[in-house]
Amino acid sequence: MTVDGPFGLSMRDRALEADVQAGLSAVEEGLMEATKSDVPFITGAAQHLVRAGGKRFRPLLVMLGSQFGDPYAPGVVPSAVVVELTHLATLYHDDVMDEADVRRGVPSANAHWDNSVAVLTGDFLFARASKILADLGPEAVRIQAEAFERLVTGQILETAGPQDGQDPVAHYLEVLAGKTGSLIAVACRFGAMMGGADEGVTSILTQYGERVGTAFQLADDVLDIASDSHESGKTPGTDLREGVATLPVLYVRAHAENGGAAADRELCRLLDGDLTDDARHAEALAGLRAHPALEQARRDTVRYAREARETLRPLPDCPAKSALSELCDAVVHRAG
């Protein structure tokens, strides 16, 4: 029997579906508990995005990774809470940097309150994640610290842009590996590690997380251009408006620089101009939606998802392995 699970995943094993749903329910309780404060205002701000929901992609990966050991081990749920709190904290900060108005279908924290509240709330979530992490042992603290360093480095590299002579696409993929792949890899690693899986299994799942994490972000980039706000939960073209060049934009520029048509060069001029103007922004968004660069980015999404699936081959066949493989299809489907 096929069971519709989280993230649009169809779980064909009742026991696995029950374990994952129970784990994710416990994570929700943990998130609500971790975002409580003696100061009601802080609780409201910290729970703003928790209550808005979300895909809970990272906790899902923790739950699936734990299936290669003991999914009921005491560190599994807290580690999933840590990873999701860290992710939520970065969203508060990202929305300030992007000047975003909508997140997960609700006003972003910076739009609802102001930038200072959003930044400080993100810091509060980081602090709460660290408090939980301290109880999971020094190895978990080290792993999370290294991932967080990579995450921040990726954000800095994105802000600084590629160095002279560096391929912009290669630079962008390096940014994604740090900003997104690092934390998703930790989710897979924590699940296996906290569940007591052996080092070989843990290493494979970590590599899987790196690849599926890049595919996940590339799918988000495609969605940001191709979908409307109802589908994505945020304002379409947010990266465009902020001047952040995602993969489809980089491919348009590559087309223009390598003997592309006049229309490519015209679209580049539009993309490089002021896109805070609504009319120009809408024109740029329409141009990208019609350009082959969008399909090129979709193909890259498929490629990374395929590499993630191939990484799983050495693992023993089991329902969790099948679910992780199917998750690659679910990621690609988002960009379809």
Side-chain angles (χ1 to χ4, degrees):
M1 178 178 178
T2 299
V3 180
D4 289 334
F7 199 71
L9 195 62
S10 296
M11 296 191 188
R12 295 175 174 81
D13 184 272
R14 283 178 175 267
L16 174 63
E17 197 267 347
D19 280 351
V20 169
Q21 292 289 5
L24 291 177
S25 294
V27 169
E28 288 301 313
E29 293 177 6
L31 288 171
M32 294 303 292
E33 185 62 32
T35 49
K36 287 180 181 176
S37 168
D38 293 337
V39 181
F41 178 81
I42 295 176
T43 301
Q47 293 184 349
H48 181 66
L49 288 185
V50 175
R51 292 183 182 278
K55 296 174 286 290
R56 302 293 189 253
F57 184 56
R58 292 153 189 81
L60 171 61
L61 288 171
V62 175
M63 296 305 129
L64 291 175
S66 71
Q67 290 286 324
F68 294 88
D70 176 11
Y72 305 107
V76 172
V77 169
S79 69
V81 173
V82 165
V83 173
E84 188 66 6
L85 282 175
T86 303
H87 171 57
L88 288 170
T90 66
L91 297 185
Y92 280 84
H93 288 179
D94 281 352
D95 285 345
V96 171
M97 295 182 68
D98 297 341
E99 298 180 4
D101 295 324
V102 178
R103 169 71 70 173
R104 295 180 173 177
V106 300
S108 59
N110 49 300
H112 188 75
W113 290 285
D114 59 30
N115 284 349
S116 295
V117 169
V119 170
L120 292 170
T121 302
D123 293 345
F124 176 81
L125 295 180
F126 282 132
R128 286 297 174 89
S130 298
K131 184 177 180 180
I132 298 169
L133 192 65
D135 292 330
L136 297 178
E139 178 68 3
V141 172
R142 182 186 64 80
I143 290 169
Q144 175 77 353
E146 290 175 351
F148 191 51
E149 179 183 351
R150 287 186 60 201
L151 192 158
V152 174
T153 299
Q155 185 65 68
I156 292 172
L157 287 175
E158 180 181 65
T159 303
Q163 297 180 1
D164 290 342
Q166 185 179 12
D167 176 21
V169 171
H171 171 266
Y172 183 68
L173 293 174
E174 182 182 0
V175 167
L176 294 196
K179 282 188 61 179
T180 304
S182 60
L183 194 57
I184 290 178
V186 165
C188 294
R189 186 173 183 178
F190 274 171
M193 188 176 86
M194 296 300 168
D198 65 48
E199 290 185 8
V201 169
T202 302
S203 176
I204 288 170
L205 289 174
T206 304
Q207 294 172 50
Y208 165 86
E210 287 274 353
R211 289 166 175 79
V212 82
T214 299
F216 181 82
Q217 185 57 56
L218 289 176
D220 257 11
D221 289 351
V222 171
L223 268 176
D224 185 57
I225 292 169
S227 71
D228 58 30
S229 57
H230 176 73
E231 291 176 278
S232 63
K234 59 183 181 181
T235 305
T238 297
D239 290 324
L240 273 184
R241 195 179 293 278
E242 187 59 21
V244 176
T246 55
L247 196 59
V249 172
L250 295 177
Y251 278 144
V252 168
R253 290 176 180 168
H255 278 276
E257 291 169 3
N258 295 306
D264 296 330
R265 294 188 290 276
E266 180 58 34
L267 180 55
C268 277
R269 282 193 288 272
L270 183 62
L271 292 170
D272 292 337
D274 180 12
L275 295 181
T276 59
D277 176 77
D278 288 344
R280 289 177 62 86
H281 180 266
E283 185 181 353
L285 201 56
L288 280 170
R289 287 171 173 170
H291 198 279
L294 187 60
E295 183 57 35
Q296 195 172 356
R298 283 195 179 102
R299 289 197 297 270
D300 281 344
T301 306
V302 172
R303 175 169 60 86
Y304 274 96
R306 183 176 61 247
E307 289 176 0
R309 184 186 295 106
E310 291 171 354
T311 302
L312 298 171
R313 283 187 180 182
L315 295 178
D317 290 334
C318 63
K321 179 181 177 180
S322 298
L324 287 169
S325 180
E326 190 174 330
L327 197 58
C328 297
D329 295 327
V331 167
V332 169
H333 178 71
R334 296 173 67 239

